[in-house]
Amino acid sequence: MVELFGTEHGLARHSELAELAHAAGISVDPISDKAAAGLSETVTPQGLIAVCLRVDTSLAGVLGRRPALVAALVETNDPGNAGTVLRTADAAGADAVIATGGVDPYNGKAVRASAGSLFHLDVVLDVDPLDLLEQARAAGLSCLATSGAGGRDLDGLIDHGQLAGPTLWLFGSESHGLPPEVLAAADRSVRIPIHGRAESLNLAAAAAVCLYASARAHRARHGLAAGADDHTAERTEPHSV
Amino acid sequence: MVELFGTEHGLARHSELAELAHAAGISVDPISDKAAAGLSETVTPQGLIAVCLRVDTSLAGVLGRRPALVAALVETNDPGNAGTVLRTADAAGADAVIATGGVDPYNGKAVRASAGSLFHLDVVLDVDPLDLLEQARAAGLSCLATSGAGGRDLDGLIDHGQLAGPTLWLFGSESHGLPPEVLAAADRSVRIPIHGRAESLNLAAAAAVCLYASARAHRARHGLAAGADDHTAERTEPHSV
């Protein structure tokens, strides 16, 4: 963050945040409600506007850190989906998200849908998908392309331990999926099983299923037990999931 | 469907659908582009407007059919999330979705996000959540309430075979989660593990992870192998996931 603007109400409501920013040497400036409405893209702005630097990094930098889990959005067009995949990738413990050829992850709607995760993960923009596959494979990642017509069933990959190693998941556009040349160049094309009558899954839902399958496989491989059950925490506070 | 309206372009583009409707005795009426724009809620209408009857059913009817997997949306407010959960529940092979206290699943945006799944599943509206828990438990369903502060970790439930039986998953509102009385009355409160720095998952992403965990546990219990790998289908057509 390089600068913070806030309405009187916004700064009062988030005073600890404003204090943290001030203590970090960031300029904190009061603005009017009208100015906040003008600067914000939402109908009911929260009263705080932060000016931030982009955080995108290079593919070589990401791969040099030997990532275990990477998600790539190839020609994904919906900013809500792109932001939600960023948030889910972060939650699943992914190291990086690559976005190429679709919506800009710095689009306001994508930033809001990412719920802060844009700033938690390495983000790489505008890599050619075939270069991405070549470099990811050279770095030891298994390159899995999601497709409704994929040759491998996700459950089968889990059963055969094929998600245990470092993995790059590729997700395509909402309407057309991944480009044929990307599907052809990936190590495997993978379909999520459809048990009911839906034709397909929403892109962000599909990404959640794949990324959490990888997270679970990685934990199992490293012998990590599931989180301790804390029965004192049970049946207490409501909390969003 | 009780009636179908279409623009010249819409009816030509989906002529097989119009023929099916006509053959089923449904009135198919041409309308102008202007009328289609007026009837549609979207900026670029597809040129077909169907008038449909609501398909909601009763909770007793649903439970009487001994469902194995049911999703409940309790005070879920975002129509996109509600529709996406319907679509995901359908894909995961759920039998029914219960929606109570939040957005109407027949909201236009929810219907579109459900991508047809609203018409594939049993949908039950406006049940009191505590009545739902009582009746679901009496019907033999394990009632699992999702919560970021849940006492049980999803991976732990999977590891201990606790998703193998009939299950009702409860999802709350995007901002407040499930009401405390619902969390208290459920059999277990369950958290999805967060491995990275995200505070939480998007509601529809969380539902995808939970519902697919149940689908996989049910298949394992019934000794169903993962779908056969069809290598002839690999690396062929692009297809959305």
Side-chain angles (χ1 to χ4, degrees), chain A residues 91 152 186 193 195 212 229 235, chain B residues 91 152 186 193 195 212 229 235:
Chain A
R152 298 295 306 275
H195 304 295
Y212 263 86
D229 290 332
R235 304 188 173 185
Chain B
R152 298 295 307 275
H195 304 296
Y212 264 85
D229 291 331
R235 303 189 172 184

Side-chain angles (χ1 to χ4, degrees), chain A residues 87 90-91 120 146 152 155 158-159 178 186 191 193 195-198 200-201 212 216 219 228-229 235 238 241, chain B residues 87 90-91 120 146 151-152 155 158-159 178 186 191 193 195-198 200-201 212 216 219 228-229 235 238 241:
Chain A
R87 181 176 173 185
D90 180 12
H120 297 163
T146 51
R152 298 295 306 275
D155 281 332
I158 299 172
D159 291 343
L178 284 163
R191 68 179 183 276
H195 304 295
R197 291 198 283 149
S200 63
L201 282 166
Y212 263 86
R216 190 168 152 75
R219 283 169 63 87
D229 290 332
R235 304 188 173 185
V241 285
Chain B
R87 181 176 174 186
D90 180 13
H120 297 163
T146 50
R152 298 295 307 275
D155 281 333
I158 299 171
D159 291 342
L178 285 163
R191 68 178 184 275
H195 304 296
R197 291 197 283 149
S200 63
L201 283 165
Y212 264 85
R216 188 166 153 77
R219 283 169 64 88
D229 291 331
R235 303 189 172 184
V241 285

Side-chain angles (χ1 to χ4, degrees), chain A residues 84 87-88 90-93 117 119-120 146-149 151-153 155-156 158-159 173-178 180 183-184 186-189 191-198 200-203 205-206 208-209 212 215-216 219 226-231 233-235 237-241, chain B residues 84 87-88 90-93 117 119-120 146-149 151-153 155-156 158-159 173-178 180 183-184 186-189 191-198 200-203 205-206 208-209 212 215-216 219 226-231 233-235 237-241:
Chain A
T84 301
R87 181 176 173 185
T88 306
D90 180 12
S117 292
F119 302 104
H120 297 163
T146 51
S147 164
R152 298 295 306 275
D153 176 287
D155 281 332
I158 299 172
D159 291 343
S173 90
E174 289 78 1
S175 43
H176 304 295
L178 284 163
L183 277 172
D187 295 322
R188 292 196 173 92
S189 71
R191 68 179 183 276
I192 297 174
I194 302 287
H195 304 295
R197 291 198 283 149
S200 63
L201 282 166
N202 160 275
L203 183 91
V209 172
Y212 263 86
R216 190 168 152 75
R219 283 169 63 87
D229 290 332
D230 176 3
H231 289 282
E234 196 150 7
R235 304 188 173 185
E237 293 302 298
H239 203 290
S240 91
V241 285
Chain B
T84 302
R87 181 176 174 186
T88 306
D90 180 13
S117 293
F119 301 104
H120 297 163
T146 50
S147 164
R152 298 295 307 275
D153 176 287
D155 281 333
I158 299 171
D159 291 342
S173 90
E174 289 79 1
S175 43
H176 305 295
L178 285 163
L183 277 172
D187 294 323
R188 291 196 174 93
S189 71
R191 68 178 184 275
I192 298 174
I194 302 287
H195 304 296
R197 291 197 283 149
S200 63
L201 283 165
N202 161 275
L203 182 90
V209 172
Y212 264 85
R216 188 166 153 77
R219 283 169 64 88
D229 291 331
D230 176 2
H231 290 282
E234 197 150 7
R235 303 189 172 184
E237 291 304 296
H239 203 289
S240 92
V241 285

Side-chain angles (χ1 to χ4, degrees), chain A residues 12-106:
Chain A
R13 212 170 131 211
H14 300 282
S15 57
E16 73 303 337
L17 200 151
E19 280 160 25
L20 275 173
H22 186 73
I26 293 163
S27 152
V28 179
D29 297 307
I31 54 171
S32 68
D33 288 353
K34 195 176 163 188
L39 285 170
S40 169
E41 293 173 1
T42 58
V43 179
T44 49
Q46 305 205 340
L48 285 184
I49 285 130
V51 180
C52 298
L53 295 176
R54 295 172 69 109
V55 291
D56 46 303
T57 180
S58 74
L59 180 60
V62 164
L63 294 176
R65 290 189 279 281
R66 306 207 146 268
L69 185 56
V70 178
L73 295 166
V74 181
E75 298 179 15
T76 301
N77 289 313
D78 182 273
N81 276 342
T84 301
V85 172
L86 269 159
R87 181 176 173 185
T88 306
D90 180 12
D95 303 281
V97 171
I98 323 284
T100 179
V103 70
D104 183 351
Y106 293 93

Side-chain angles (χ1 to χ4, degrees), chain B:
Chain B
M1 202 191 328
V2 292
E3 197 162 1
L4 182 67
F5 299 101
T7 60
E8 192 180 330
H9 184 69
L11 289 172
R13 211 169 132 211
H14 300 282
S15 56
E16 73 303 336
L17 199 151
E19 280 160 26
L20 276 173
H22 185 74
I26 292 163
S27 154
V28 179
D29 297 308
I31 54 172
S32 67
D33 289 352
K34 196 177 163 189
L39 285 169
S40 167
E41 294 172 359
T42 57
V43 178
T44 48
Q46 305 206 340
L48 284 185
I49 285 129
V51 179
C52 298
L53 296 175
R54 295 170 69 108
V55 290
D56 46 304
T57 180
S58 73
L59 180 61
V62 164
L63 295 176
R65 289 189 279 281
R66 306 208 144 268
L69 184 58
V70 178
L73 295 167
V74 181
E75 300 180 12
T76 301
N77 290 313
D78 182 273
N81 276 342
T84 302
V85 172
L86 269 158
R87 181 176 174 186
T88 306
D90 180 13
D95 303 281
V97 171
I98 323 285
T100 179
V103 70
D104 182 351
Y106 293 92
N107 167 305
K109 205 176 162 193
V111 171
R112 287 192 297 282
S114 90
S117 293
L118 179 65
F119 301 104
H120 297 163
L121 290 165
D122 280 334
V123 176
V124 180
L125 301 182
D126 297 327
V127 185
D128 176 82
L130 298 182
D131 284 349
L132 165 63
L133 284 169
E134 194 178 317
Q135 293 186 51
R137 199 178 287 124
L141 289 136
S142 174
C143 301
L144 305 182
T146 50
S147 164
R152 298 295 307 275
D153 176 287
L154 178 67
D155 281 333
L157 288 184
I158 299 171
D159 291 342
H160 293 99
Q162 287 167 319
L163 294 183
T167 298
L168 166 68
W169 279 104
L170 297 128
F171 306 103
S173 90
E174 289 79 1
S175 43
H176 305 295
L178 285 163
E181 65 275 17
V182 174
L183 277 172
D187 294 323
R188 291 196 174 93
S189 71
V190 180
R191 68 178 184 275
I192 298 174
I194 302 287
H195 304 296
R197 291 197 283 149
E199 281 183 25
S200 63
L201 283 165
N202 161 275
L203 182 90
V209 172
C210 293
L211 293 169
Y212 264 85
S214 280
R216 188 166 153 77
H218 288 175
R219 283 169 64 88
R221 189 197 183 192
H222 292 102
L224 295 169
D229 291 331
D230 176 2
H231 290 282
T232 61
E234 197 150 7
R235 303 189 172 184
T236 52
E237 291 304 296
H239 203 289
S240 92
V241 285

